[in-house]
């Protein structure tokens, strides 16, 4: 029934329940780990819009190690072996460093004056 909980552990360390409005997985000790036991499997956090079509929010790829973040089903950020790939505009409230290690930006040879003049 609604608001009934499935409890796990000697001290009810893990609870899974629904109150007919929201559903919860609550952890009361240590870390909450979500594991994929198959080496090449995926972990997906997604939404089913009710029509059977699903929208991904987070996809973790067990075979490549890549993690992808989505905005309404559109991939915006993906981790790669050499860094990250971002699709779209990047906005920051601050920047650390002088930008001298940036590549592929174009403009003058002095990247700092090109970006911050």
């Amino acid at each position: 029934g609604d608001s009934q909980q499935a409890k796990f552990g000697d001290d009810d360390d893990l609870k899974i329940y629904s109150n007919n409005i929201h559903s919860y997985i609550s952890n009361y000790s240590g870390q909450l780990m979500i594991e994929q036991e198959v080496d090449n499997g995926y972990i997906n956090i997604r939404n089913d819009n009710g029509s059977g079509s699903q929208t991904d929010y987070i996809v973790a790829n067990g075979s490549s190690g890549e993690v992808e973040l989505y905005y309404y089903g559109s991939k915006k950020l993906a981790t790669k072996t050499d860094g990250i790939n971002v699709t779209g505009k990047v906005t920051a409230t601050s920047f650390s460093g002088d930008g001298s290690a940036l590549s592929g930006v174009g403009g003058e040879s002095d990247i700092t004056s090109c970006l911050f003049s």
Side-chain angles (χ1 to χ4, degrees), residues 1-114:
D2 288 337
S3 298
Q4 294 200 5
Q5 301 178 359
K7 299 176 183 179
F8 303 90
D10 289 339
D11 297 317
D12 297 336
D13 300 327
L14 177 68
K15 298 176 184 177
I16 301 174
Y17 58 98
S18 174
N19 64 7
N20 197 32
I21 299 171
H22 304 291
S23 298
Y24 300 89
I25 300 173
S26 299
N27 177 44
Y28 294 93
S29 68
Q31 298 178 14
L32 175 63
M33 309 293 285
I34 299 173
E35 296 185 62
Q36 172 58 273
E37 295 295 333
V38 179
D39 287 342
N40 60 354
Y42 289 79
I43 295 174
N44 298 63
I45 297 177
R46 60 172 50 141
N47 182 45
D48 184 333
N49 67 11
S51 67
S53 118
Q54 298 174 334
T55 301
D56 286 323
Y57 294 116
I58 300 173
V59 175
N61 183 332
S63 61
S64 71
E66 181 176 279
V67 177
E68 303 167 343
L69 299 178
Y70 291 79
Y71 181 79
Y72 286 105
S74 176
K75 185 171 24 174
K76 296 300 177 181
L77 187 138
T79 61
K80 302 291 184 183
T81 57
D82 60 348
I84 63 170
N85 286 353
V86 177
T87 302
K89 181 179 175 182
V90 176
T91 304
T93 58
S94 67
F95 176 81
S96 178
D98 64 5
S100 61
L102 295 174
S103 63
V105 177
E108 298 176 19
S109 60
D110 178 7
I111 191 69
T112 304
S113 64
C114 178

